[in-house]
Amino acid sequence: MPHSISMETWRAWRELLRPGDWVVVLAGLAACAAAGFWFWRGGAPDGVTVRASGKVFAKADLSRPHRIEVPGPLGVTVIEIEPGRARVASDPGPRQYCVRQGWLARAGAVAICAPNEVSLTLSGRGVDYDSLNY
């Protein structure tokens, strides 16, 4: 059976807290918020690496928009690049998982079109891992 705190108990607790206690509570909340912001954000990407059949097909920077058409065993995969982000626009694979990922905008983000053996990786500082294989 859940126990609820009565108003009298809450008032008694509030009277025990001093101004310094509130400063400590607020500082703790601010430290938690800052840690969440600092540790859960990805680095800004600065480039794109496109692989076909495990080999580097193209490398590009994210400064200007352009398209890359990558041939694979099933057909052509189209990669769209815009400033600061990239995506797989179309792929001949049956399930379209890499297309459904949408725009990638964090360093280390990857879209893998496994049936067509094509992958897209955003490079930059703050990548969470050293390498990725499929």
Side-chain angles (χ1 to χ4, degrees):
M1 182 161 87
H3 177 66
S4 63
I5 298 174
S6 68
M7 286 303 286
E8 290 132 18
T9 306
W10 174 246
R11 285 188 193 120
W13 265 94
R14 252 188 9 198
E15 290 174 6
L16 292 174
L17 293 176
R18 303 285 182 234
D21 297 332
W22 288 108
V23 170
V24 170
V25 168
L26 292 175
L29 290 173
C32 288
F37 176 75
W38 181 258
F39 292 116
W40 283 323
R41 67 183 172 116
D46 57 12
V48 175
T49 303
V50 179
R51 295 180 184 274
S53 299
K55 297 182 176 100
V56 175
F57 179 80
K59 286 191 174 196
D61 62 358
L62 293 173
S63 62
R64 61 180 179 83
H66 55 285
R67 292 169 56 105
I68 300 173
E69 294 184 0
V70 186
L74 300 180
V76 176
T77 298
V78 178
I79 309 290
E80 285 186 355
I81 300 171
E82 289 187 359
R85 63 186 192 161
R87 72 174 178 155
V88 177
S90 67
D91 180 69
R95 292 191 174 75
Q96 301 289 303
Y97 291 137
C98 56
V99 176
R100 291 182 196 171
Q101 281 188 267
W103 291 101
L104 305 177
R106 290 178 49 171
V110 177
I112 298 174
C113 304
N116 205 29
E117 299 177 7
V118 174
S119 69
L120 162 69
T121 307
L122 297 185
S123 60
R125 298 178 57 111
V127 176
D128 294 335
Y129 50 84
D130 293 331
S131 67
L132 181 69
N133 294 307
Y134 65 93

